[in-house]
């Protein structure tokens, strides 16, 4: 079934996935509605029936990212037997998500550096806040279990966890080597876990 014959919800989802695919190939700020419509073999008018503006489309993209990433992380964490295992699973699930959707971090960085307060930027900020709360909760659980050092700064440890992934992503984007993330993630993750782990 072609994009022009899809039900409205599926059309919206396919549009969002098209934007993310395009963001993996070019600068997200340069993606035009004409390019999106052309990739989907639709008219711009058909696109605007589902998204009244480009901002509305970008907001839908950020919602898609937040839902998919957090759902994947929750699944990974749910299967982990202990808090440090959960942090490891969360880190690696995030890395896998970025490898599957290389356009996502480009869009996130793009939205976060916009000067104006926009709906997509607010969504990106909310995602990072929710993500940070999840990491913080796992660190607290780790302390309660005696696996995470009691004297560490939990806010700093949360920031470092997020910043470590962002750093890996940024370096892979700069190098033009997406696979660099998966290659370097295990060693970087091991260093992070060593820094928060309690030592007898």
């Amino acid at each position: 079934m072609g994009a022009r014959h899809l039900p409205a919800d599926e059309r919206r989802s396919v549009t969002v996935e098209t934007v993310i695919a395009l963001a993996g190939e070019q600068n997200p700020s340069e993606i035009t509605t004409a390019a999106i419509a052309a990739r989907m073999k639709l008219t711009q008018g058909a696109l605007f029936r589902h998204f009244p503006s480009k901002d509305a489309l970008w907001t839908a993209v950020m919602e898609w990212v937040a839902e998919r990433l957090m759902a994947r992380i929750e699944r990974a964490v749910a299967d982990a037997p202990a808090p440090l295992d959960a942090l490891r699973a969360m880190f690696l699930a995030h890395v896998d998500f970025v490898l599957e959707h290389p356009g996502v971090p480009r869009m996130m960085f793009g939205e976060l550096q916009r000067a104006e307060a926009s709906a997509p930027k607010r969504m990106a900020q909310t995602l990072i806040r929710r993500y940070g709360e999840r990491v913080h909760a796992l660190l607290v659980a780790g302390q309660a279990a005696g696996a995470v050092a009691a004297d560490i700064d939990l806010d700093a440890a949360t920031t470092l966890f997020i910043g470590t992934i962002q750093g890996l992503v940024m370096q892979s984007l700069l190098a033009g080597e997406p696979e660099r993330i998966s290659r370097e993630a295990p060693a970087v993750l091991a260093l992070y876990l060593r820094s928060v782990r309690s030592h007898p």
Side-chain angles (χ1 to χ4, degrees):
M1 185 185 291
R4 70 183 62 209
H5 302 298
L6 291 173
D9 285 350
E10 284 185 49
R11 169 82 61 83
R12 281 190 286 272
S13 183
V14 169
T15 305
V16 166
E17 289 168 18
T18 300
V19 171
I20 290 170
L22 286 168
E25 301 165 12
Q26 64 186 89
N27 183 341
S29 65
E30 294 171 4
I31 297 172
T32 62
T33 51
I36 298 163
R39 174 71 67 95
M40 295 179 67
K41 297 180 173 49
L42 295 172
T43 64
Q44 285 189 74
L47 206 58
F48 283 121
R49 278 200 292 278
H50 299 284
F51 299 98
S53 66
K54 191 173 178 182
D55 213 43
L57 174 51
W58 255 236
T59 301
V61 169
M62 287 298 140
E63 287 171 352
W64 185 97
V65 169
E67 287 170 12
R68 299 296 191 292
L69 177 58
M70 292 308 295
R72 181 172 298 198
I73 282 166
E74 289 304 333
R75 282 195 304 273
V77 166
D79 292 336
L84 285 181
D85 296 310
L87 281 169
R88 179 182 292 106
M90 183 172 181
F91 192 100
L92 296 175
H94 192 158
V95 166
D96 285 344
F97 184 84
V98 170
L99 284 168
E100 286 174 32
H101 307 289
V104 166
R106 288 172 163 218
M107 294 197 74
M108 289 286 290
F109 289 135
E111 287 306 319
L112 292 171
Q113 68 187 359
R114 282 171 66 171
E116 71 277 14
S118 65
K121 182 177 180 178
R122 285 193 298 275
M123 283 292 309
Q125 290 168 328
T126 299
L127 170 58
I128 290 172
R129 189 183 70 249
R130 283 177 59 202
Y131 191 99
E133 288 167 355
R134 195 68 183 95
V135 173
H136 193 277
L138 288 172
L139 288 166
V140 169
Q143 283 184 326
V148 170
D151 61 347
I152 67 164
D153 182 326
L154 291 174
D155 290 337
T158 299
T159 299
L160 182 59
F161 185 96
I162 296 168
T164 300
I165 294 175
Q166 289 173 333
L168 281 170
V169 170
M170 185 63 78
Q171 288 178 52
S172 75
L173 288 174
L174 287 169
E177 298 177 56
E179 67 284 353
R180 180 174 176 166
I181 304 171
S182 58
R183 194 170 64 240
E184 297 184 357
V188 171
L189 173 59
L191 273 177
Y192 174 82
L193 293 174
R194 183 176 170 188
S195 73
V196 300
R197 189 176 283 120
S198 62
H199 299 286

